[in-house]
Amino acid sequence: LNKMENTYNQDDLELLQILSGQAALAIEQTRLYQQSDMIAELVHELRTPLTSIGTIAYLLQRPTVGEAERLSLAKTIQQETQRLSNLSSSFLDLARLEAGRVGLCLTEFNLSQMIEECIEIIRPSAAEQNIEVIFQAQTPELTVRADPNQIKQVLLNLLTNAVKYNRPQGKITIAQQMENKGVSVSVSDTGIGIPPEQSAHIFEKFYRVSGEETASRAGTGLGLSICKRIIENHGGKISFTSALNQGSTFTIHLPASA
Ligand code: ADP
């Protein structure tokens, strides 16, 4: 507005001031709506595990409940509690990122080494399903300037998904590449794939592909939203390609320095 003082007369300026005030108000209202939408979705997601735990508590009180049933019900409570815990920590992560309350702690680090570390974390769960993990490492090793904790969270999310949505005896291939203005890392799996008609939604909060294949695997639908937010905060991009029943490849592109 100050710059405009020479170009506009007083009435125009007053009108502009009113309009910019209204625009600011509209932006704030949108932000509040988005927040309350997100909370409404969270409450909706909390309902299923809570109902399930409540029902189990009721079933456990029956005098006829046998030992085997008691153990199976207790196991379900454990799974549902884990789901609540994953949901609340992912929700908090995303809410903080969306509120712009997570700064970037930029450091130069060895990306290749970090990928190796992340692979070691997911290797036991991959081995449980006889999934082979292949890292196409590069020499010299790649370094980036980024927030190491956040990039690790992204890599772990993508690798965890590559195990979770894979098939027994499947394969995960991790490749890294130096690019024109940065680096890229791709995680490919030989799993269930993503139906093309749903692929536009998978970065949306709480979105999970519909169908038995996905429903039978535990998840919150928040992991990819967190990844997208983190990578975009670094000035990078995340993309994927997928073929139903054949597998998916998720790729992150990071600029040389965020
Ligand atoms: P979730 O906790 O459900 O895994 P994400 O946000 O990580 O949540 O992923 C959103 C949805 O995208 C998943 O529920 C799944 O339907 C689909 N998806 C993500 N990664 C893969 C993959 N590697 N293969 C197939 N489907 C995937």
Side-chain angles (χ1 to χ4, degrees), residues 78-93:
Q78 202 178 11
Q79 284 165 350
E80 294 298 310
T81 323
Q82 185 62 51
R83 184 162 151 191
L84 285 172
S85 157
N86 292 345
L87 202 57
S88 48
S89 61
S90 297
F91 182 83
L92 260 186
D93 281 352

Side-chain angles (χ1 to χ4, degrees), residues 161 164-165 189 193-194 207-209 214 219-224 248:
N161 280 352
K164 187 161 68 171
Y165 299 108
D189 64 63
I194 295 160
Y207 190 86
R208 303 199 75 211
V209 166
T214 302
T220 60
L222 291 175
L224 286 180
S248 314

Side-chain angles (χ1 to χ4, degrees), residues 93-94 96-98 100-107 109 111 114 117-118 144-159 185 223-236 238 252 254 258:
D93 281 352
L94 188 58
R96 284 201 191 109
L97 282 162
E98 294 212 328
R101 277 195 281 131
V102 186
L104 291 180
C105 190
L106 298 178
T107 323
F109 62 92
L111 182 66
M114 177 177 284
E117 280 168 29
C118 293
V144 278
R145 189 172 151 74
D147 185 312
N149 289 331
Q150 293 188 30
I151 299 302
K152 189 168 188 178
Q153 186 174 7
V154 172
L155 291 171
L156 279 175
N157 256 322
L158 296 183
L159 286 167
V185 180
L224 286 180
S225 314
I226 294 174
C227 292
K228 188 166 179 336
R229 214 16 111 133
I230 291 179
I231 295 300
E232 287 179 355
N233 283 354
H234 278 80
I238 180 163
I252 56 171
L254 281 173

Side-chain angles (χ1 to χ4, degrees), residues 25 41 69 75 87 97 119 129 132 135 141 154 158 202 214 220 224:
L25 198 66
E41 277 184 275
E69 193 188 0
K75 197 163 178 217
L87 202 57
L97 282 162
I119 291 175
Q129 299 186 67
E132 189 185 1
F135 178 30
E141 293 182 325
V154 172
L158 296 183
I202 64 161
T214 302
T220 60
L224 286 180

Side-chain angles (χ1 to χ4, degrees), residues 29-49:
Q29 274 172 349
T30 313
R31 208 172 59 82
L32 288 174
Y33 281 138
Q34 279 169 350
Q35 274 179 1
S36 59
D37 269 5
M38 199 168 153
I39 289 168
E41 277 184 275
L42 173 71
V43 171
H44 177 79
E45 293 296 321
L46 291 175
R47 226 170 253 165
T48 318

